[in-house]
Amino acid sequence: MDMKMRIAELVCAALKDAFGADEPAAPAVADMLEIPPEPGLGDYAFPCFKLARTLRKGPPQIAAALAERISAPETASVQCVGGYLNFFLNRENFARETLEAVLAQSGRWGASDVGAGKTVCLDYSSINIAKRFHIGHLSTTMIGHSLRRIYDFSGYRTVSINHLGDWGTQFGKMVCAYKKWGRKEDVEAGGVQALVDLYVRFHKEAEKDPALDDEGRAWFKKIEDGDEEALSIFNWFKDVTLKDTQRVYDLLGVTFDSYAGESFYQDKMEPVIQELREKHLLVESEGAEVVDLSEDGMPPCLILKKDGTTLYATRDLAAAFYRKRTYNFDKSLYIVAYQQDLHFRQLFKVIEKMGYPWYKDMEHVSFGMVSYEGQALATRKGNIVYLEDLLRRAVDKAREIIEEKSPNLENKEEVARQIGIGAVIYSDLQNSRIKDIDFRWDRALNFDGETAPYVQYTHTRCCSVLRKAGELSAAPDYAALCDDEAQALLRLLARFPEAVQEARERNEPFMVTRHTTQIAQAYNKFYYEHRILDDDPAATAARVALTRAARDTIKTGLYLIGIEAPEQM
Ligand code: ARG
């Protein structure tokens, strides 16, 4: 059903016939095919300019010679305009082939097996213990979750990893603070916030009494040495954090295959450090041990501190080897904010220097900042929007809208959740990930603009048309789908698999968001301009088939970005 490839083959055959040319081959021709800016110029255009040199003919001459030799059922007509060969697909044929292809996949249009036998590790969300989940963590969580679905959909085996931030001296301070001022009931009732409060108190008191810092360090040493009491308190802090976070993951529908975090690599760093030493990559710098990266234009990568303790980078290094060993990944993605650019460039460079070619398979999938209603998020200044609060508020607002617009809806609560959460996710995955995001309520929950509710609403509209249509016995007459609106929608449906592929190749979920939104817009245009259920049963059957294909594809598109598609709202 790859229309591009078929047209490319027609061009190749004509090239051979007209000029005896074996080059370029069909895949190269397919790459050269353009999609004209206006429908009046056809569905595909082949520019003949590049061939002019090798064939020693003018582009218009080439185009004319090719046009003469091309006629096949899928091309209603071929026209030469300047040096272009414009292809106008046979609309009826295009409608038939597209709809048959989409509907044969029953809800999996766009899926492929390009990744069969390959494994991708995705490190995302990767929360820190005893810190609250705020809106700044939304991007890593949702980009990662969406990419995981996109890779799955393309046949890859995926491993989703929450690389917990659960190691560092701050945890000694926290245990110390708990021992001094903490109460079990308070932590149980207050959750992560109670831990944060203890930590803040520790810092306040330590300003007055610097000896506290030593006590904190001593407690961390105990955690490191596996002291039973220290470890059990620390592990309890972890449980408290994960329990709080789980509520957010449940709302978002996010799951992980592994929660192996920084502490997991405590006993896995030594061999890596040993290897660095053997390969003469570790040098001393002010008492610390580092990998010199000055040749690569980067500051040194710190491996061991003066006191022999390890760092974030050391644990990431051990984690990279562990993942390669355990999952034998073909690709390993780190979905982490752009602030850690340098860290990952250093990490990959160190692995390259160690002589492992798979450093090339690792990628930092970075993204920009999130602000809220035009205000940057400043943790220190207390200007924080917690993700759970934001999500619950979104659900509340969605519920209000539903109460107003469709008070008789049956499963209001579930739909409110789908719309509210969907609105938040959509605003996160709407633009290229490197762009900064400003979250705004009026935009996110608008039923008209480019938003989740708009796309979800279109899905329910399709569902409602299908419900009304019921079972149809007539065979579809695809000639009923030759109008511009149906054709525009068909073109978008036909190209959905390409959008999924591109999103995967560039690790950009927004390409699915954008394409899915365009399908919704095209469906609505079609819906306004045409009666779908009318007197002619065969024409009705064709329009219903188009509606079904649009509904399935919108649902898939939303699924791939982590958004649910209600059937009524
Ligand atoms: N916990 C880290 C942070 O919040 C992110 C970890 C990302 N993953 C990794 N393997 N370094 O900044």
Side-chain angles (χ1 to χ4, degrees), residues 123-128 131 137 140 163-165 262 312 316 319 323 334-336 340 343-344 347:
D123 176 326
Y124 57 96
S125 206
S126 299
I127 53 156
N128 297 322
K131 290 230 181 89
H137 297 115
T140 169
H163 184 78
L164 299 178
E262 295 189 43
Y312 182 54
D316 251 333
R323 288 174 194 176
Y334 296 84
I335 296 105
V336 185
Q340 294 191 29
H343 166 74
F344 286 107
L347 177 68

Side-chain angles (χ1 to χ4, degrees), residues 36 109 322 369 495 505 510 523:
W109 176 236
Y322 176 83
M369 303 249 289
R495 284 184 209 138
E505 284 167 357
F510 93 97
Y523 183 79

Side-chain angles (χ1 to χ4, degrees), residues 111 253 266 268 341 459 545:
Q266 237 0 65
K268 297 175 184 63
D341 257 11
H459 177 264

Side-chain angles (χ1 to χ4, degrees), residues 91-92 94-95 481-491:
R91 292 190 159 195
E92 181 180 343
F94 180 57
L481 300 179
C482 292
D483 57 88
D484 288 348
E485 293 78 25
Q487 289 286 314
L489 174 56
L490 285 161
R491 266 197 295 275

Side-chain angles (χ1 to χ4, degrees), residues 111-122:
S112 74
D113 56 6
V114 289
K118 296 201 190 116
T119 298
V120 195
C121 289
L122 302 104

